[in-house]
């Protein structure tokens, strides 16, 4: 079917688009595809708005999608091995630990926990590898899958992506897209089923059960603790995971705790069990099997209490998602280091390294090494910087400087601070026509999409010999975000991107 | 367990209530327990707020609940027989047909359709019988189930009620109510499972299939048409029924059409098939198997186009939910007439009549009959009217005048208009402590609850001998609404009542 498409988007009339928008709004309301308005004054009231979405699935090459899915367990393993190697991390992060307060803060917490002895060998990782596709230089070569970034900490968007894919599949069935994606009433073939919610719940469930197997005292009630931000407008991306855990049989208790309130509700038991007490938890104190962080990734969360709280979690017996070392692997500096010759090979066999490396875009340090000096030359010259993005070394997304802005930006900061950035080549993605709706209106024009593949990994790091045993390693779904071509950032909750789904097409 | 309760509501601390409210808000957002804000200016934006709800289930006598469920199929049958007897209806509605423009309008449409010949013998009814409980006169006798009203037209609240019951059951499992309703983590035993959504979908599905069996030309695609109001803020009570139908296997196509737009999209085929055409429906023209009205119940919808539209539906071959005669049985005048001696017996065997009659509160005509004159005496005297409610004869709810207001109200209207009302004794319901939340704040105090039982009935009325064959007759779930004791009305969407669920308790 796919190869017979004559246009890149469904040929919808204005009345059809109007009807589609009405159907989407109501679907969002009835399925929790919403952003919560957290500034409502009334405590007893909740207001919400629909999340920005694409009206229909956007074309994406099938081979690239399948490749990204296939690579996920390999990337999971790579990042697990990095997170299990504090030698490697301490070496590559050394300049940041020295110059950057946040990196130093996290590293110090890790070091303090390590000093007291790590009592939990098992860690859970919820990862997301983000990609765009790139057309090769001659502009008519095959599409190439290129990695934008790899996220290991407080990875979001899985629930929204799942719901939007479900919505597009439903709308197709009702004939809202005519016959563009195949026959109405039939299941949609071009958009893959997205089971991210189930996959993430499955990962947390596995970790919970592993913890149970380790327990000496089986009488004690255990449950999972979600560490969340207060005033969180993105609860629709978190709550369905909790409901999924409660709906296991037997149910897995899950409670939420604000990062800033950890010290008020959490303490350590005699064997460093993490114990949670709250008026809302009738099992208090509940022994926490897994602590799942959807907070604790912003520097300003780490005041004295924040540091003490993260240390308490880290040195406890609970399974962390993520552990501090795993959290640190989300920094761009790690991604840049992995792109250096010979580095991947420290962690994986050569043929697998080649497979992963093919997805890397050129990425450079901005330090005083030979490669760093080359990158600085590229960055300070507006003629060359136009093809690059300057990213803070330590972040998992956001605060990037794009193209010709880079040279002006670098003029504003002292040269000895430049090493806090990395320079990455812009991925030149082909555009696809799309129609995107949000509170700000409807955009109808060329768009660019980003595929994120979710991975779940559960591993045991044996302290005595530093070996890693991988207990579970899965790809568990995907997210697909689309933005207007001119937009630089992709974040949906910040108002740039739109959740969407990929309509998989064969290459022309 | 129930009989061991020491208080009427869970003993919750302020922190527990705070946490409960947060959990409810997020549950509402993620499950579509919302009211849509339809006055958002942006076409591409949707805003919503949580529906008013009770924080926890409210006590209700188990025997009365079970009795109401058991009576539903009997009430279904009663109203089906009334709706199949235009002689009876024309007689009791005669004064209204003469004096009231809306009744006359509906009757005229029915008569016009009848004149052309009714081509569809099958009708679908979605009914809801509403009850309160009353303590008998000596105040310590058993609780009695008393019927508030019986609704046969555009019956709402089924989806909301289902979702709120699910929510209370979920919150119980998490321990949000402590051990008040039984052990946390266990399924709640006191609140019955509410399957209203599935039940209503099942009724519509059965009607759709019956239509399919009647068809000569099996090649034509059929589907269900929801006739809805424009600017509908209560879409969360309608959309899940559509999704449920689409999710049947094979899917049943469902489209929505505003009542005011019927004539633009609907026409009759050669055998009076109802044919629907719309840009959003790729099967246009779609033959409509069932037309399900969630609009068309307000007099101002019946301008010339509205009348023509309803006539078009009525004379078509589609199965109507409700038919015009069934619609007319929702009028209070019918309920009052059924309470007259000997009337029930025209429709059902004596022992069943006794069963139903036991639920009737005293209810009188306000006409010039002997009973009407008695009612007028009661109504004009504030000392006696305090125990009564004056209700418009033709409505299914709302616009009531309560207690001591009645005599003043009657002074404002000419006496020859009084027969447009009926007088009903107020049901003195025992109060139960409750905590209710809405956009207007939190109410903590004595409450009164109303149980609604949903029924679905599918029947064939044979034109040749006026006999009725009941094809399906079910109770399909319930709604439970709670209001502060002083509040007179119960409507949730109008801002008076709160959706809740019953915690079934044995009588003391």
């Amino acid at each position: 079917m796919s190869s017979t498409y004559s246009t890149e988007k469904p040929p919808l009339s204005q009345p059809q688009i109007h009807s589609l928008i009405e159907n989407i709004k109501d679907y969002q309301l009835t399925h929790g595809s919403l952003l919560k308005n957290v500034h409502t004054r009334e405590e007893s009231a909740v207001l919400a708005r629909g999340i920005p979405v694409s009206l229909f699935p956007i074309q994406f090459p099938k081979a690239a999608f399948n490749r990204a899915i296939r690579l996920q367990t390999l990337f999971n393993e790579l990042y697990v091995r990095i997170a299990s190697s504090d030698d490697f991390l301490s070496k590559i992060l050394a300049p940041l630990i020295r110059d950057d307060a946040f990196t130093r803060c996290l590293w110090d917490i890790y070091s303090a926990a390590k000093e007291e002895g790590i009592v939990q060998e098992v860690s859970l990782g919820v990862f997301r590898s983000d990609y765009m596709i790139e057309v090769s230089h001659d502009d008519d070569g095959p599409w190439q899958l290129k990695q934008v970034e790899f996220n290991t900490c407080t990875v979001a968007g899985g629930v929204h992506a799942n719901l939007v894919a479900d919505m597009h599949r439903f709308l197709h069935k009702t004939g809202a897209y005519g016959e563009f994606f195949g026959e109405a009433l039939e299941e949609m073939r071009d958009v893959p089923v997205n089971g991210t919610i189930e996959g993430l719940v499955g990962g947390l469930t596995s970790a919970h059960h592993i913890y149970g197997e380790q327990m000496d005292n089986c009488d004690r009630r255990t449950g999972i603790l979600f560490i969340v931000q207060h005033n969180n407008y993105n609860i629709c991306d978190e709550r369905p995971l909790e409901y999924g855990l409660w709906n296991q049989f037997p149910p897995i208790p899950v409670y939420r705790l604000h990062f800033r309130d950890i010290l008020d509700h959490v303490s350590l038991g005699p064997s460093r069990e993490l114990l949670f007490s709250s008026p809302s938890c009738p099992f208090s104190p509940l022994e926490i099997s897994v602590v799942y962080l959807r907070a604790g990734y912003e520097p300003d969360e780490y005041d004295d209490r924040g540091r003490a709280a993260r240390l308490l979690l880290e040195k406890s017996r609970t399974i962390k998602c993520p552990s501090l070392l795993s959290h640190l692997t989300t920094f761009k500096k790690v991604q840049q280091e992995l792109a250096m010759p010979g580095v991947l090979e420290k962690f994986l066999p050569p043929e697998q390294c080649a497979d992963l490396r093919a997805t890397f875009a050129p990425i450079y340090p901005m330090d005083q090494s030979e490669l760093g000096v080359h990158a600085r030359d590229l960055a300070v010259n507006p003629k060359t910087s136009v093809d690059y993005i300057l990213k803070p070394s330590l972040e998992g997304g956001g605060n990037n400087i794009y193209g010709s802005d880079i040279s002006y930006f670098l003029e504003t900061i002292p040269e000895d601070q430049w090493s806090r950035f990395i320079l990455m080549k812009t991925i030149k993605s082909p555009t696809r026509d799309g129609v995107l709706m949000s509170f700000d209106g409807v955009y109808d024009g060329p768009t660019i999409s980003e595929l994120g593949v979710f991975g779940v990994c559960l591993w045991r790091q044996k302290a005595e010999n530093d070996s890693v045993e991988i207990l579970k390693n899965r790809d568990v779904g995907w997210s697909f975000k689309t933005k207007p071509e001119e937009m630089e950032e992709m974040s949906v909750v910040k108002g740039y991107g739109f959740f969407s789904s990929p309509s998989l097409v064969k290459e022309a």
Side-chain angles (χ1 to χ4, degrees), chain A:
Chain A
M1 289 291 296
S2 306
S3 56
T4 67
Y5 293 151
S6 54
T7 61
E8 290 180 350
K9 67 172 183 179
L12 300 173
S13 65
Q14 268 317 109
Q16 282 175 310
I17 288 195
H18 173 78
S19 160
L20 190 49
I21 286 175
E22 288 307 309
N23 283 324
I24 287 176
K25 284 157 70 170
D26 287 359
Y27 193 97
Q28 292 191 308
L29 240 59
T30 44
H31 291 79
S33 279
L34 300 169
L35 291 173
K36 181 177 176 180
N37 184 344
V38 291
H39 300 295
T40 314
R41 244 182 264 151
E42 295 295 334
E43 199 216 341
S44 61
V46 64
L47 262 179
R49 58 168 71 179
I51 199 150
V53 284
S54 166
L55 296 201
F56 45 78
I58 303 285
Q59 288 193 351
F60 194 83
K62 187 171 192 165
F65 180 89
N66 289 340
R67 174 139 204 267
I69 298 290
R70 184 174 60 75
L71 290 181
Q72 188 59 33
T73 49
L74 212 48
F75 269 120
N76 290 347
E77 184 179 341
L78 171 66
Y79 274 81
V80 161
R81 297 199 181 278
I82 298 168
S84 305
S85 171
D86 68 355
D87 279 0
F88 174 78
L89 275 175
S90 71
K91 204 177 113 214
I92 67 163
L93 293 177
L96 286 171
I97 293 170
R98 187 186 63 223
D99 297 336
D100 176 72
F102 184 44
T103 316
R104 189 162 56 247
C105 161
L106 294 181
W107 190 264
D108 287 350
I109 297 171
Y110 164 69
S111 302
K114 191 182 175 191
E115 196 137 307
E116 301 200 32
I118 301 292
V119 290
Q120 179 55 266
E121 294 181 328
V122 176
S123 297
L124 176 67
V126 168
F127 304 141
R128 199 190 66 226
S129 184
D130 292 338
Y131 304 92
M132 296 172 101
I133 47 168
E134 190 170 47
V135 180
S136 48
H137 295 291
D138 55 4
D139 227 39
D140 59 357
W143 287 326
Q144 305 237 340
L145 185 73
K146 291 293 172 187
Q147 188 179 51
V148 178
E149 63 187 20
F150 193 89
N151 306 281
T152 67
C153 179
T154 67
V155 173
V159 175
H160 284 303
N162 195 323
L163 295 178
V164 171
D166 290 349
M167 180 179 78
H168 283 159
R169 294 173 63 85
F170 169 75
L171 291 167
H172 161 76
K173 204 154 80 167
T174 70
Y177 308 130
E179 307 276 311
F180 186 77
F181 295 109
E183 274 187 62
L185 287 185
E186 302 286 322
E187 290 297 326
M188 199 175 209
R189 279 165 305 174
D190 304 308
V191 173
V193 171
N194 191 357
T196 307
I197 297 173
E198 194 185 336
L200 296 180
V201 167
L204 289 160
T205 300
S206 297
H208 175 77
H209 289 149
I210 288 274
Y211 187 90
E213 291 166 18
Q214 297 173 350
M215 283 175 73
D216 300 327
N217 175 0
C218 289
D219 293 340
R220 204 185 262 153
R221 183 80 70 190
T222 56
I224 296 179
L225 194 60
F226 277 35
I227 303 292
V228 296
Q229 292 192 318
H230 61 280
N231 274 350
N232 181 357
Y233 48 86
N234 202 17
I235 61 99
C236 289
D237 197 57
E238 298 175 0
R239 288 288 197 176
L241 304 179
E242 296 174 46
Y243 303 141
L245 290 162
W246 278 107
N247 285 334
Q248 298 295 305
F249 187 79
I252 299 174
V254 187
Y255 295 91
R256 293 168 75 81
L257 181 58
H258 293 158
F259 188 85
R260 63 178 185 185
D261 297 334
I262 291 175
L263 293 182
D264 297 332
H265 294 278
V266 159
S267 62
L268 293 189
S271 307
R272 292 209 235 158
E273 308 92 333
L274 193 68
L275 302 175
F276 169 68
S277 297
S278 157
S280 64
C281 173
F283 317 111
S284 300
L286 181 73
E287 182 169 341
I288 299 304
S289 54
V290 184
V291 66
Y292 175 57
L293 272 78
R294 293 292 291 251
Y297 56 90
E298 288 182 348
D300 64 8
E301 294 177 277
Y302 289 87
D303 56 9
D304 286 350
R305 276 172 61 84
R307 288 166 191 247
R310 188 74 191 264
L311 176 59
L312 187 68
L313 302 183
E314 193 69 11
K315 71 187 188 186
S316 80
R317 185 168 293 279
T318 199
I319 295 175
K320 292 100 196 160
C321 179
S323 69
L324 262 165
L325 283 187
S326 189
H327 180 162
L328 287 163
T329 65
T330 215
F331 286 178
K332 287 285 172 296
K333 182 65 192 167
V334 172
Q335 185 188 3
Q336 175 263 304
E337 188 67 24
L338 289 174
M340 300 286 280
V343 177
L344 276 185
E345 283 74 6
K346 294 178 185 171
F347 301 100
L348 296 172
E351 68 279 10
Q352 297 187 331
C353 295
D355 221 2
L356 297 186
R357 186 173 284 117
T359 68
F360 293 173
I363 183 168
Y364 306 106
M366 284 283 287
D367 57 20
Q368 309 209 3
S369 68
E370 195 180 335
L371 211 57
V373 170
H374 172 63
R376 290 179 175 206
D377 286 346
L378 291 170
V380 296
N381 181 349
K383 279 187 193 157
T384 47
S385 76
V386 73
D387 289 330
Y388 288 87
I389 308 172
L390 188 74
K391 302 184 175 187
S393 299
L394 53 89
E395 299 202 17
N399 296 320
N400 299 332
I401 314 293
Y402 294 89
S404 51
D405 291 345
I406 296 174
S407 54
Y408 303 107
F409 172 78
L410 287 174
E411 283 174 19
T412 67
I413 54 169
E415 209 168 317
D416 64 358
Q417 298 286 306
W418 290 10
S419 60
R420 292 169 63 182
F421 296 87
I422 58 100
L423 190 72
M424 183 169 172
K425 192 141 193 221
T426 306
I427 300 166
K428 293 240 163 76
S429 216
T431 63
R432 289 289 170 263
D433 289 342
V435 182
L436 310 172
M437 70 178 259
S438 75
F439 221 76
D440 296 325
V442 172
Y443 169 87
D444 185 344
T447 67
I448 297 216
S449 294
E450 182 179 295
L451 170 70
V453 180
F454 282 87
V456 155
C457 210
L458 192 62
W459 71 95
R460 174 179 284 124
Q461 185 182 11
K462 298 222 169 99
E464 63 267 27
N465 59 4
D466 228 38
S467 71
V468 175
E469 178 192 4
I470 292 181
L471 307 169
K472 178 172 186 165
N473 184 1
R474 297 261 197 292
D475 63 275
V476 294
W478 43 266
S479 69
F480 195 78
K481 296 181 231 172
T482 298
K483 65 181 184 184
E485 183 186 14
E486 317 78 47
M487 195 70 80
E488 283 167 337
E489 298 236 24
M490 185 58 100
S491 166
V492 179
V493 291
K494 288 180 190 162
Y496 304 114
F498 298 72
F499 278 108
S500 181
S501 64
S503 165
L504 301 184
V505 293
K506 287 183 195 155
E507 285 191 65

